[in-house]
Amino acid sequence: MAIHRILEAPDPRLKVVSTPVETFDAELDTLIADMFETMYDAPGIGLAAVQIGVPKRVLVIDLQEAGEDGEPVRKPLVFVNPELFDPSEELRVYSEGCLSVPDQYADVERPSTIHVRYRDQSGNSHEAALDGLLATCLQHEMDHLEGILFIDHLSRMKREMVLKKLEKARRRAA
Ligand code: NI
């Protein structure tokens, strides 16, 4: 396993539309293992393969919500070739962040519940109905597969402000 460098906006590679996975092999297993390791290391709650420069339709999510003792519990989820359907009319606003837009947060409105059809790591098909943070997170990650970042949901002015702040923070760190 390996921790990969996460691409950051405005890297054009984040704009690439990801292609479906066709073979469920050892290469896919390695990609998924690397994605989890990279996400936990960052740390973050979701990662799309394209964020580590692999434009394949693979997402990993782990909300790492607190268990009874208050410690975060790992519950790793993998979505290969996911497709969303039946979004609710009801919307939910969440202050989103993204490992490709580090330390920047903004309110984004999305359907509050959603259904997903996807394959697991072995290629088996599944369907699930999602709500809450998981529904928000999955929709955010799905956007990555189409080359869309959460800041693309903001007004142009807000988006440019975020990108400017990002650039400034990068210069400071350099
Ligand atoms: Ni993201």
Side-chain angles (χ1 to χ4, degrees):
M1 292 207 297
I3 293 169
H4 292 252
R5 202 173 65 81
I6 296 174
L7 304 178
E8 293 182 7
D11 193 309
R13 285 172 290 179
L14 289 167
K15 297 267 183 207
V16 172
V17 175
S18 296
T19 57
V21 169
E22 274 159 19
T23 44
F24 293 77
D25 54 7
E27 199 181 319
L28 178 66
D29 292 340
T30 303
L31 172 64
I32 290 169
D34 285 0
M35 286 171 69
F36 274 115
E37 200 177 0
T38 302
M39 181 186 77
Y40 289 130
D41 175 71
I45 61 170
L47 190 74
V50 69
Q51 291 179 275
I52 57 168
V54 181
K56 289 267 171 205
R57 300 185 87 80
V58 181
L59 308 175
V60 298
I61 292 178
D62 190 337
L63 302 181
Q64 300 155 75
E65 285 170 323
E68 274 173 28
D69 57 2
E71 289 296 308
V73 177
R74 282 191 180 179
K75 197 181 164 209
L77 302 172
V78 178
F79 299 89
V80 179
N81 300 344
E83 287 170 44
L84 297 181
F85 61 101
D86 279 355
S88 61
E89 273 176 40
E90 193 196 329
L91 302 175
R92 176 181 195 260
V93 179
Y94 190 77
S95 178
E96 295 189 16
C98 180
L99 294 175
S100 294
V101 191
D103 302 320
Q104 306 298 323
Y105 300 88
D107 283 355
V108 178
E109 201 174 44
R110 301 181 189 271
S112 62
T113 66
I114 193 87
H115 290 73
V116 61
R117 198 176 290 125
Y118 64 99
R119 290 183 184 269
D120 62 25
Q121 193 161 345
S122 315
N124 303 308
S125 296
H126 301 272
E127 265 185 34
L130 308 177
D131 61 8
L133 180 56
L134 189 52
T136 298
C137 186
L138 183 70
Q139 291 174 80
H140 171 118
E141 300 310 328
M142 284 295 297
D143 273 354
H144 278 296
L145 303 185
E146 304 303 326
I148 298 167
L149 298 175
F150 80 94
I151 54 173
D152 295 320
H153 291 280
L154 310 178
S155 69
R156 197 176 126 191
M157 212 173 82
K158 267 196 196 158
R159 181 168 53 252
E160 281 173 1
M161 211 167 70
V162 168
L163 287 171
K164 228 174 256 170
K165 272 200 235 164
L166 207 59
E167 177 58 35
K168 223 189 226 172
R170 242 190 313 258
R171 269 206 308 268
R172 251 197 318 265

